[in-house]
Amino acid sequence: MPLGLRRKKNKSRESSNLVENEEVGGHATGSSVKSTVNGAGLPPPPANLRPKLVFHTQLAHGSPTGRIEGFTNVKELYGKIADTFNLSPPEILFCTLNTHKIDMEKLLGGQIGLEDFIFAHIKGIKKEVEVFKSEEALGLTITDNGAGYAFIKRIKEGSVVDNVKVISVGDHIECINGKNIVGTRHYEVARMLKELPKEQKFTLKLVEPMKAFEMLEPRSKGAKPASENKLGTGRGTLRLRAKGPATVEEVPTEFEEKAVKKVDDLLESYMGIRDTELAATMVEVGRDKKNPDEFAMALDEALGDFAFPDEFVFDVWGAIGDAKQGRL
């Protein structure tokens, strides 16, 4: 199918899980048992088929250490953490790996190292801010937590938003001009912000992550696009997918790391989002395809809801090819 003919598709509390007086330092045990993800229209997989892995977790602003297991996707992970700490799952904004800080380099995406320690960042202060859009680009990079919350991953230095000091990396965008966007994917939020008229004011309702006293420090600009983003430090990783099986895999190869990073950079350049899980899926889809049209058809099959621009698909295909040839 030629690229120009592609079309968009329709779219009880367990306090016993807490561990007292345990050092912060991730740990996991278990075997590489594959499990089926609870995809659209599919029942949850039976418990005996879920990866038998145990991860340690804390609330990022401070808490006892908890143990969680038996999850196959991000929503189930948040549910396990919420049960452990007597929270409601919607209170969790996002998770970081091996650090309690709001560090977008350590953001939990589609992979968790088998020895990674999970820190959950929960809702803190709500704030409302008015912004004057003096330029077409706001200087924001948006991502989401895989469970319906879009949040700010990066702020470009010197940009419109950089001059609004109350807006910070890690802030969840709850409303734009009074419209609630909870449940809206990151690429749709990025599009909505881009389409706001220039030379006019708009209002954002934000929720910042709860912070401990020692975390109150000057705001970060977020992850630098050119920096390396290691997906976990364990000997292997638990790969969580939106569709398909959750599997225990080896640490990503050099090809996979370089290709995923380049595709993630292209996502930011074309769509204003960063999403390592999405980038990894695209690399996985494209690694054995023979030409761009075959790659485009496979993308439509796997990720049809995105309706990627043709130029973007060509560039992703080229990036995967460069990574295969060691040119990245």
Side-chain angles (χ1 to χ4, degrees):
M1 180 187 299
L3 286 175
L5 299 181
R6 296 187 307 119
R7 291 292 182 268
K8 179 178 178 180
K9 298 183 180 180
N10 295 329
K11 317 185 174 185
S12 103
R13 311 297 185 197
E14 297 183 9
S15 57
S16 61
N17 286 341
L18 296 178
V19 183
E20 298 296 338
N21 301 320
E22 192 159 354
E23 288 187 8
V24 175
H27 173 72
T29 59
S31 58
S32 57
V33 179
K34 294 188 178 181
S35 170
T36 303
V37 167
N38 182 16
L42 296 176
N48 63 338
L49 290 182
R50 301 188 180 198
K52 296 180 179 179
L53 302 167
V54 178
F55 294 88
H56 286 115
T57 183
Q58 286 184 358
L59 301 181
H61 65 280
S63 74
T65 299
R67 289 193 183 100
I68 54 173
E69 60 182 310
F71 57 90
T72 61
N73 57 48
V74 173
K75 288 185 178 180
E76 290 182 4
L77 167 63
Y78 291 167
K80 295 291 184 178
I81 295 173
D83 285 346
T84 298
F85 296 110
N86 294 329
L87 299 171
S88 170
E91 287 296 303
I92 300 173
L93 291 179
F94 56 86
C95 294
T96 50
L97 300 176
N98 306 315
T99 180
H100 67 286
K101 295 183 178 181
I102 302 170
D103 183 349
M104 294 294 108
E105 296 269 0
K106 305 295 184 180
L107 190 67
L108 185 151
Q111 294 180 337
I112 306 173
L114 299 187
E115 294 183 353
D116 282 345
F117 198 105
I118 302 170
F119 289 88
H121 299 255
I122 68 172
K123 289 181 178 179
I125 297 172
K126 290 190 174 185
K127 50 195 180 185
E128 184 170 334
V129 59
E130 190 175 76
V131 181
F132 181 73
K133 190 176 182 181
S134 58
E135 301 176 19
E136 289 291 344
L138 292 171
L140 285 178
T141 298
I142 308 299
T143 190
D144 65 35
N145 70 350
Y149 289 167
F151 61 93
I152 298 169
K153 187 169 185 178
R154 193 168 72 89
I155 298 174
K156 184 178 180 180
E157 189 170 357
S159 65
V160 172
V161 170
D162 189 34
N163 293 320
V164 185
K165 300 306 180 184
V166 72
I167 301 177
S168 300
V169 167
D171 285 355
H172 159 48
I173 304 175
E174 190 174 61
C175 295
I176 301 175
N177 282 337
K179 180 180 179 180
N180 190 301
I181 61 166
V182 173
T184 304
R185 291 302 310 274
H186 49 13
Y187 60 92
E188 294 173 332
V189 175
R191 177 183 54 77
M192 293 167 65
L193 291 170
K194 184 177 181 180
E195 291 177 352
L196 290 170
K198 188 179 174 183
E199 302 298 332
Q200 291 189 26
K201 295 179 179 179
F202 65 94
T203 301
L204 294 176
K205 287 186 178 180
L206 307 168
V207 183
E208 68 178 39
M210 186 176 292
K211 300 180 179 72
F213 287 114
E214 65 271 16
M215 293 172 65
L216 299 177
E217 55 189 24
R219 71 174 185 173
S220 166
K221 295 295 189 299
K224 296 180 180 179
S227 60
E228 294 297 328
N229 189 7
K230 301 294 183 181
L231 297 175
T233 59
R235 290 185 295 274
T237 61
L238 177 66
R239 175 80 183 275
L240 304 176
R241 296 180 174 86
K243 298 178 181 179
T247 57
V248 175
E249 302 177 351
E250 296 296 322
V251 174
T253 64
E254 183 179 2
F255 154 72
E256 290 167 336
E257 285 191 348
K258 289 184 176 180
V260 168
K261 180 184 177 300
K262 181 60 178 179
V263 173
D264 203 23
D265 289 345
L266 289 170
L267 283 169
E268 181 173 28
S269 176
Y270 278 90
M271 304 176 69
I273 63 174
R274 292 192 79 85
D275 188 330
T276 54
E277 179 187 359
L278 176 59
T281 299
M282 297 182 77
V283 170
E284 187 175 276
V285 167
R287 66 189 307 160
D288 62 346
K289 300 302 178 289
K290 297 182 176 62
N291 56 63
D293 285 334
E294 186 178 334
F295 177 49
M297 292 175 65
L299 278 184
D300 272 345
E301 182 69 26
L303 300 166
D305 287 347
F306 285 86
F308 297 111
D310 291 346
E311 185 179 357
F312 170 76
V313 174
F314 273 118
D315 284 351
V316 171
W317 168 253
I320 295 172
D322 287 344
K324 285 180 180 178
Q325 300 299 320
R327 293 194 293 266
L328 291 182

